[in-house]
Amino acid sequence: MTIVLTHKLSGLREVDAPHSLVAHFGPDHALQMDSGGRLNQWTIAYQTYGELNAAKSNAILVCHALTGDQHVANAHPVTGKPGWWSTMVGPGRPIDTDRYFVICSNVIGGCMGTTGPASLNPQTGRPYGLELPIVTIRDMVRAQAMLIDHLGVDTLFCVVGGSMGGMQVLQWVASFPERVFSAMPIATAAKHSSQNIAFHEVGRQAVMADPDWRKGRYLEEGVIPTKGLAVARMAAHITYLSDEALQSKFGRKLQDRDAPTFSFDAEFQIENYLRYQGSSFVDRFDPNSYLYVTRACDYFDLAADYDGSLARAFQGVKARFCVVSFNSDWLYPTAASRAIVHALNAGGASVSFVDIETDRGHDAFLLDLPEFIATSQGFLDSAAKARGLPPAAP
Amino acid sequence: MTIVLTHKLSGLREVDAPHSLVAHFGPDHALQMDSGGRLNQWTIAYQTYGELNAAKSNAILVCHALTGDQHVANAHPVTGKPGWWSTMVGPGRPIDTDRYFVICSNVIGGCMGTTGPASLNPQTGRPYGLELPIVTIRDMVRAQAMLIDHLGVDTLFCVVGGSMGGMQVLQWVASFPERVFSAMPIATAAKHSSQNIAFHEVGRQAVMADPDWRKGRYLEEGVIPTKGLAVARMAAHITYLSDEALQSKFGRKLQDRDAPTFSFDAEFQIENYLRYQGSSFVDRFDPNSYLYVTRACDYFDLAADYDGSLARAFQGVKARFCVVSFNSDWLYPTAASRAIVHALNAGGASVSFVDIETDRGHDAFLLDLPEFIATSQGFLDSAAKARGLPPAAP
């Protein structure tokens, strides 16, 4: 039996018919997962920008964050908004699509065309829901590596990403040290802290507390736990911004009024902003995917796979690194980046470390901050020279 | 018509028949509220400990935090747990019940016997729900002042409280400068920040997203939005603890297992802990009360009532102050206490300020921290001497 689903949310149409290139893998390229699970049939949706050179030496893999996707530098097919990293990726940008062949794929567990919990389980003909094995950061990277093979790229010129994307960068150099020439882990950590897990757990409980979640089978029952997902997003969003950023952007300003109304309405601008973040998110993201990607981060502890030694995880790493943190990021604070740098130094890697001063918090990596853009540009230019790539056209 | 409610939650029985002393006020002592609302009939439930001396000069008012109550130093009638501040209040403790007459009342908007949204609205015979006017910190203090009048106390020897309790302390000295001899605002702020409002808004949205909330009329419909309230509590609880405290207490330790199970169970100890905090909270707290007390904090901005000048709020204040903060408290950080101290200094008040070094975060004020206990003891002893109270019995 095959269930025909009418995905209520526009975003979920991308599960079946993504506005992207899609690579399909069958049993001869099964995805063996950390949990012991195995996907005999799976797909990965991706975007590319620019041209792969003859030497195949100019490919950059961009890894997206928790609720990001492959639409890094093109208009988003669901929201119509510009690509999520248009400040960094494009002609003349640090990740210059006139010079580099840029690849960005949706992670395993996602909902933009790569196999995730909203995808049909070929064994049952219904959506996976929670039947999809738990996904880890390493599973995401395994899938990306198979995509890179499929694209005929042996060594990536650079792997770059922020937040959960940065975790993938770290996993790439640990899992495939020979395949990475340079790496930029940004605003990230080598393991999820107790507080990180705590916030993610609140989000998952908010989704699961919604009676429309239906133990994960909502798609077949024609409902969507949008209220729970919106609450999850609101809580998470606070962690993406610094206290100072909230204070300078919103402070205690009232929403469209001069005096308080003494009610439970969105009286303060910050409330209105958060409610908007929650309600707009549910139009583009699958609630079960949210469970999977948050869980993947929680399981991330790179050192744990190497007898608890992060330095050992990076042993033999040849890539040159640029580690970037933001001093007001309290989700993955500077100290977490410093720990990565220490471990890389212990392994003898070439590392530059930039802690950028900004009050914007974790989300700073998505913003057009001159110091961040210049740092990225400088690192990539220098790595390109070392890689023997021709300089940018004048 | 009078609706007879069978409160499902044991905690809500306290609304109708609190295990406390209760003062009832009628139209001649109506409570005029900041929102413009007015309670012609209202009650305030309270506990006292120790004896009021003949000069009536030894009364200490303890103000409770967000979800606290009047049971500061006796076993809680719902949970059976020790009083929430047994470390600070009792014989031989800093707030020595052998020396002082200690009063602690449940706030307006609460659910332990003081008029709140679960109380019957005398005009309709059904629970107020959201018909209760929005409550402010100043409303809480107005009600306390009327209780103090009722108890025959003119001047309080000390007003003390942490977190939302500290806001009440600040409001007391601003509203009734002649009636406060000494004051201890602890782990608090003179206004709610944008981030503070944001976290509270997430909690309220979690409650309101629960279909059992029924627009606040759940008591009449025989349901309780426990799932939403539990999520709200989980999110809030993270803000009460520091990143370091979570890391040292839980880290990434697994719950009752040696290896990960790769599931959405409470795999990590921190998840289990948070789930417990959520599920135990709903047994003792009314979801609508949670909306009211969080909202009261959000509206708190003491300077706003004094042309934006906190120093002006404290003009003419005669009380001696001990302001206490905890260096790992990120909910009401040290800087917020420092702002209070600066404003008090500008007003010429006598202030000692202690920033206590601990990794325990905001909840440190509820713990038996030697430096905190000693600071409180020293301040109160010195104030007692100035007040002409006899020294503690040897």
Side-chain angles (χ1 to χ4, degrees):
Chain A
M1 184 191 69
T2 301
I3 296 171
V4 177
L5 297 167
T6 309
H7 284 137
K8 267 185 153 177
L9 295 181
S10 52
L12 291 186
R13 279 190 221 120
E14 296 290 311
V15 173
D16 309 320
H19 288 74
S20 289
L21 298 166
V22 179
H24 297 271
F25 294 92
D28 51 332
H29 290 90
L31 186 67
Q32 185 61 51
M33 301 168 82
D34 278 340
S35 67
R38 183 184 166 95
L39 300 181
N40 283 317
Q41 290 179 46
W42 60 284
T43 61
I44 186 164
Y46 64 101
Q47 295 287 96
T48 69
Y49 312 83
E51 304 284 335
L52 185 62
N53 63 10
K56 300 186 174 180
S57 63
N58 71 335
I60 296 184
L61 176 70
V62 176
C63 302
H64 70 71
L66 197 73
T67 67
D69 51 44
Q70 67 270 38
H71 300 288
V72 59
N74 56 262
H76 194 276
V78 179
T79 66
K81 289 186 182 167
W84 58 266
W85 225 9
S86 305
T87 50
M88 275 283 278
V89 182
R93 305 281 174 177
I95 299 173
D96 190 339
T97 49
D98 289 338
R99 293 182 81 187
Y100 308 119
F101 176 59
V102 180
I103 309 157
C104 186
S105 59
N106 187 214
V107 297
I108 287 283
C111 54
M112 290 296 284
T114 295
T115 297
S119 307
L120 287 187
N121 180 345
Q123 293 190 315
T124 64
R126 62 180 193 170
Y128 277 105
L130 297 200
E131 287 165 2
L132 186 75
I134 288 284
V135 171
T136 65
I137 299 293
R138 190 156 61 172
D139 294 331
M140 295 175 181
V141 167
R142 280 194 188 104
Q144 287 161 350
M146 289 164 82
L147 171 65
I148 302 307
D149 289 340
H150 170 78
L151 295 174
V153 174
D154 184 40
T155 301
L156 290 161
F157 163 57
C158 189
V159 188
V160 55
S163 199
M164 187 183 85
M167 295 176 198
Q168 294 161 61
V169 173
L170 298 175
Q171 186 68 62
W172 257 99
V173 293
S175 292
F176 304 104
E178 306 292 335
R179 302 189 69 175
V180 182
F181 185 80
S182 68
M184 277 194 79
I186 302 161
T188 194
K191 68 176 173 197
H192 234 216
S193 73
S194 200
Q195 191 186 64
N196 293 152
I197 297 171
F199 275 112
H200 275 181
E201 172 67 1
V202 166
R204 285 189 296 265
Q205 290 298 316
V207 170
M208 292 177 170
D210 189 325
D212 285 342
W213 181 60
R214 309 282 169 95
K215 297 189 175 169
R217 302 246 65 102
Y218 50 86
L219 289 175
E220 292 138 273
E221 303 194 14
V223 291
I224 306 268
T226 52
K227 286 188 172 179
L229 184 62
V231 169
R233 179 63 167 182
M234 289 175 68
H237 203 82
I238 303 174
T239 69
Y240 303 154
L241 303 172
S242 71
D243 186 18
E244 305 90 305
L246 288 170
Q247 201 58 34
S248 65
K249 196 167 178 181
F250 304 107
R252 296 181 46 81
K253 280 180 277 194
L254 299 176
Q255 177 70 26
D256 301 332
R257 58 200 72 172
D258 294 327
T261 60
F262 294 104
S263 73
F264 292 111
D265 292 347
E267 179 97 324
F268 297 96
Q269 284 182 13
I270 176 64
E271 295 178 296
N272 195 58
Y273 173 77
L274 278 184
R275 288 185 191 186
Y276 172 77
Q277 294 298 330
S279 64
S280 61
F281 180 59
V282 302
D283 290 336
R284 70 169 180 89
F285 213 80
D286 173 47
N288 280 340
S289 263
Y290 194 74
L291 306 183
Y292 276 85
V293 292
T294 55
R295 205 51 164 160
C297 295
D298 291 353
Y299 279 118
F300 190 60
D301 180 5
L302 188 54
D305 298 332
Y306 299 85
D307 298 328
S309 162
L310 194 56
R312 196 167 300 162
F314 295 136
Q315 225 160 25
V317 161
K318 288 178 194 72
R320 53 180 66 206
F321 272 80
C322 180
V323 177
V324 179
S325 60
F326 299 94
N327 72 327
S328 57
D329 181 351
W330 59 278
L331 187 64
Y332 302 120
T334 298
S337 282
R338 201 173 288 123
I340 294 167
V341 171
H342 287 171
L344 285 167
N345 284 336
S350 156
V351 192
S352 61
F353 173 37
V354 183
D355 182 45
I356 291 175
E357 207 172 307
T358 169
D359 71 355
R360 298 288 99 183
H362 180 65
D363 264 2
F365 80 95
L366 297 170
L367 304 178
D368 195 9
L369 297 184
E371 192 185 346
F372 173 50
I373 301 294
T375 295
S376 306
Q377 182 83 58
F379 173 71
L380 286 167
D381 280 351
S382 147
K385 202 170 165 190
R387 183 76 169 150
L389 297 176
Chain B
M1 183 193 69
T2 301
I3 296 172
V4 177
L5 296 169
T6 309
H7 285 137
K8 267 186 155 179
L9 295 181
S10 52
L12 291 186
R13 278 190 221 119
E14 297 290 310
V15 174
D16 309 320
H19 288 74
S20 289
L21 298 166
V22 180
H24 297 272
F25 294 93
D28 51 333
H29 289 89
L31 186 66
Q32 184 62 49
M33 300 168 83
D34 278 339
S35 67
R38 183 185 166 94
L39 299 182
N40 283 317
Q41 289 179 48
W42 59 284
T43 60
I44 185 164
Y46 63 101
Q47 294 289 95
T48 69
Y49 311 83
E51 304 285 333
L52 186 62
N53 64 10
K56 299 185 174 180
S57 62
N58 70 335
I60 296 184
L61 176 69
V62 176
C63 303
H64 71 71
L66 196 73
T67 67
D69 50 44
Q70 67 271 38
H71 301 288
V72 59
N74 56 262
H76 195 276
V78 180
T79 65
K81 289 185 183 168
W84 58 267
W85 225 8
S86 305
T87 51
M88 275 284 280
V89 183
R93 305 278 174 179
I95 300 173
D96 189 340
T97 50
D98 289 338
R99 293 181 80 187
Y100 308 119
F101 176 59
V102 180
I103 308 157
C104 186
S105 60
N106 187 214
V107 296
I108 288 283
C111 54
M112 290 296 286
T114 295
T115 297
S119 305
L120 286 186
N121 179 347
Q123 293 188 315
T124 63
R126 62 180 192 168
Y128 277 105
L130 298 200
E131 287 166 1
L132 185 76
I134 288 284
V135 171
T136 65
I137 299 292
R138 190 155 62 173
D139 293 331
M140 294 176 182
V141 167
R142 279 193 188 104
Q144 287 161 350
M146 290 165 82
L147 172 64
I148 303 306
D149 290 340
H150 170 78
L151 294 175
V153 174
D154 185 40
T155 301
L156 290 161
F157 163 58
C158 190
V159 189
V160 56
S163 200
M164 186 182 86
M167 296 176 197
Q168 295 162 60
V169 172
L170 298 175
Q171 187 67 61
W172 257 100
V173 293
S175 293
F176 304 103
E178 307 292 335
R179 302 189 70 175
V180 182
F181 185 80
S182 68
M184 277 193 80
I186 302 161
T188 193
K191 69 176 172 196
H192 234 217
S193 73
S194 201
Q195 190 187 64
N196 293 152
I197 297 171
F199 275 112
H200 276 181
E201 172 67 0
V202 166
R204 287 190 295 266
Q205 290 299 316
V207 170
M208 292 176 170
D210 189 324
D212 285 343
W213 181 61
R214 307 284 170 94
K215 295 186 178 174
R217 301 245 67 100
Y218 50 87
L219 290 175
E220 294 139 274
E221 303 193 15
V223 291
I224 306 267
T226 51
K227 285 188 172 179
L229 184 62
V231 168
R233 180 64 167 183
M234 288 174 68
H237 202 81
I238 302 174
T239 69
Y240 303 154
L241 304 172
S242 70
D243 186 18
E244 305 90 305
L246 288 170
Q247 201 58 34
S248 65
K249 197 167 176 181
F250 304 106
R252 296 182 45 82
K253 280 180 278 195
L254 300 176
Q255 178 70 26
D256 300 333
R257 59 199 73 172
D258 295 326
T261 60
F262 295 104
S263 73
F264 293 111
D265 292 347
E267 178 98 324
F268 298 96
Q269 285 183 13
I270 175 64
E271 295 177 295
N272 194 59
Y273 173 77
L274 278 184
R275 289 185 190 185
Y276 172 77
Q277 294 298 330
S279 63
S280 61
F281 180 59
V282 303
D283 291 335
R284 71 171 180 88
F285 214 82
D286 173 46
N288 280 339
S289 262
Y290 195 74
L291 305 183
Y292 275 85
V293 292
T294 55
R295 204 51 164 161
C297 296
D298 291 352
Y299 278 118
F300 189 60
D301 180 4
L302 189 54
D305 297 332
Y306 299 85
D307 299 329
S309 161
L310 193 56
R312 196 167 299 162
F314 295 136
Q315 225 161 25
V317 160
K318 289 179 194 71
R320 52 180 66 207
F321 272 79
C322 180
V323 177
V324 179
S325 59
F326 300 94
N327 72 326
S328 56
D329 181 352
W330 59 278
L331 188 64
Y332 303 120
T334 298
S337 283
R338 200 174 287 124
I340 295 167
V341 171
H342 287 171
L344 285 167
N345 284 336
S350 154
V351 192
S352 61
F353 173 37
V354 183
D355 182 44
I356 291 174
E357 206 171 309
T358 169
D359 71 355
R360 298 288 98 184
H362 180 65
D363 264 2
F365 81 95
L366 297 169
L367 304 178
D368 195 10
L369 297 184
E371 191 185 345
F372 174 50
I373 300 295
T375 295
S376 306
Q377 183 82 56
F379 174 71
L380 287 166
D381 279 351
S382 148
K385 202 171 166 188
R387 183 72 168 153
L389 297 176

